[in-house]
Amino acid sequence: MDPSCAFDRVAVVGTGGYGWHFLCALLATKRLHVRAVTSTTDTQSSLIKQSGLVKQKHTDKQKRIAKLRELGAEIVEYDDPTSEAFAAAFSDIHTVVSAVGLSGVTSQIAMIDGALAAGVRWFIPSEYGVAHYTSTWMPFPSPLAPKTDVDRYLRDHAMPRGLAHTVIYTGMALDYLDPASIGLKLASRSATLVGRGGTPVSFTPAHNVVQLVCDIVQRPHEMMNRTIRFASSTAKMRELIKVATNGEHGERVKIVCVDEAKAKFCELAKHQDPRAFQIYSRLLIEEGLGQINRMNEPLDNAMFPDIDAEPVGRTLERLMEHSEPNVQINPTPAHRTASAKSVTDGLGRRFRDFNM
């Protein structure tokens, strides 16, 4: 008997962003019962509400839900993000994959409590980025701090009560986030660099993240109670700027000193200006916190040989060409032992050597 059969009922929380892509990929395997768990209301910021985009987002959400039903997903909605609501939503579910955005990270505590009450066996929190590290210069908690609270709650509270978990770090996805958020302005082939741009950064494009999560979900006994670090490539900002600006310098690259960026971040953050997070992302990179294996932890790429990792240089070129990746979802990933040798992946053949 296939050991993953005991975990063939999967719930994904969130139907937008990564949630949509996870659901489509899991449904494409034809091996799993997939449930989409979504809020009955769209929790948007006051700025979005004022902009008049809420109606459009609601319409888009209804289209997504209709399409998911057509693909075979079960749809469960909840009103409020309480443990009771999540317990009801997770009834008869073995695995929960959270795909909430940054604003919904704190709701995962109630999500975990609901999973425990419903008898869920495995919980995958919404990470798919970089680990949170405290920056000594910040006068208040960083935007990523709640992720640490969720990880600690899983480890100290949920795991002793029988709920396994897997934390997945993939670095930055330039085709999921706006490259301009880290200073790469692809439309004008220009860039803004904070600091010297010489620290390594981990990158994994969105389609590789989706392939990774889909693979992990189908290999529960190998993946439970561990941290997975997967990076399609590692590069420095000054290397990416070379690609984004077609190798040109001068007026196309604006350099901002770190102290100036820190002061601007603090000013914007006090007023809850969304631009603060973009500056924070650039400072995080310059500080060396954008590398998922910065403490010399081995990457786990070797455990996922079916994933054709796309180098970040190619991701940038694809975005500038407005082309889409060729995504293949393996419905029956090979089962490999959890002790498979981990290796550190480089930039790939084409982008391995940057001279700048």
Side-chain angles (χ1 to χ4, degrees):
M1 178 179 178
D2 187 338
S4 65
C5 287
F7 290 81
D8 60 355
R9 298 181 63 83
V10 182
V12 177
V13 183
T15 58
Y18 272 135
W20 163 259
H21 297 292
F22 292 163
L23 286 161
C24 291
L26 293 169
L27 286 164
T29 68
K30 306 295 185 182
R31 302 175 64 244
L32 304 167
H33 176 92
V34 181
R35 179 181 299 171
V37 177
T38 183
S39 170
T40 55
T41 58
D42 284 317
T43 55
Q44 303 293 344
S45 70
S46 59
L47 288 176
I48 293 178
K49 290 178 180 178
Q50 293 170 12
S51 70
L53 293 177
V54 171
K55 183 177 180 180
Q56 181 64 42
K57 279 192 167 287
H58 180 72
T59 302
D60 291 344
K61 181 175 182 178
Q62 295 309 309
K63 289 181 179 178
R64 290 197 303 270
I65 290 175
K67 183 62 177 178
L68 288 170
R69 281 200 176 99
E70 180 184 325
L71 293 173
E74 178 188 5
I75 308 297
V76 173
E77 297 181 315
Y78 63 90
D79 293 324
D80 299 306
T82 64
S83 58
E84 293 80 11
F86 285 124
F90 298 154
S91 176
D92 299 324
I93 287 294
H94 305 140
T95 304
V96 170
V97 179
S98 174
V100 296
L102 188 60
S103 62
V105 167
T106 55
S107 69
Q108 291 182 115
I109 300 298
M111 209 180 290
I112 294 166
D113 288 338
L116 284 165
V120 172
R121 303 175 193 172
W122 188 20
F123 188 92
I124 299 176
S126 184
E127 285 286 349
Y128 326 119
V130 298
H132 168 253
Y133 296 96
T134 302
S135 296
T136 57
W137 60 269
M138 289 189 64
F140 34 75
S142 84
L144 299 180
K147 289 194 172 189
T148 300
D149 298 333
V150 172
D151 293 345
R152 186 181 301 113
Y153 196 74
L154 281 167
R155 184 181 64 250
D156 298 343
H157 176 74
M159 192 165 69
R161 297 174 61 186
L163 179 61
H165 68 277
T166 301
V167 177
I168 304 170
Y169 295 127
T170 53
M172 296 188 173
L174 291 186
D175 55 349
Y176 184 74
L177 301 172
D178 184 354
S181 66
I182 61 170
L184 301 175
K185 304 168 187 177
L186 303 186
S188 61
R189 301 295 192 270
S190 61
T192 300
L193 175 65
V194 172
R196 302 181 65 180
T199 56
V201 187
S202 302
F203 294 95
T204 302
H207 67 279
N208 282 164
V209 174
V210 174
Q211 292 170 314
L212 177 68
V213 171
C214 188
D215 197 327
I216 288 172
V217 167
Q218 295 179 85
R219 297 161 62 184
H221 299 288
E222 296 178 67
M223 303 298 168
M224 284 181 169
N225 294 326
R226 64 180 299 158
T227 297
I228 297 296
R229 290 179 172 84
F230 182 100
S232 291
S233 58
T234 302
K236 300 174 183 178
M237 279 302 300
R238 59 175 177 239
E239 297 167 346
L240 300 188
I241 287 174
K242 183 176 181 180
V243 177
T245 62
N246 293 326
E248 298 183 24
H249 295 262
E251 294 182 357
R252 290 200 173 196
V253 181
K254 176 184 177 181
I255 299 176
V256 179
C257 74
V258 171
D259 288 341
E260 180 184 346
K262 289 178 179 177
K264 188 64 175 180
F265 165 77
C266 292
E267 176 188 344
L268 294 175
K270 287 178 182 177
H271 298 91
Q272 297 185 335
D273 190 314
R275 291 175 297 172
F277 189 76
Q278 293 188 10
I279 298 176
Y280 173 74
S281 298
R282 300 176 199 183
L283 287 167
L284 178 147
I285 288 172
E286 181 62 17
E287 200 172 345
L289 304 183
Q291 186 179 14
I292 62 174
N293 59 329
R294 64 186 295 265
M295 306 302 292
N296 295 318
E297 304 95 336
L299 294 182
D300 296 302
N301 291 35
M303 296 184 68
F304 306 95
D306 296 329
I307 297 178
D308 184 12
E310 179 181 84
V312 65
R314 176 56 196 149
T315 303
L316 283 177
E317 286 187 344
R318 179 165 53 79
L319 290 173
M320 290 187 285
E321 296 165 357
H322 303 288
S323 62
E324 296 294 330
N326 181 23
V327 181
Q328 299 291 331
I329 298 297
N330 188 355
T332 55
H335 290 273
R336 299 171 177 84
T337 64
S339 60
K341 183 179 179 181
S342 299
V343 297
T344 299
D345 198 34
L347 285 171
R349 291 187 300 274
R350 188 174 181 186
F351 300 97
R352 188 175 300 278
D353 295 320
F354 283 100
N355 296 309
M356 184 175 179

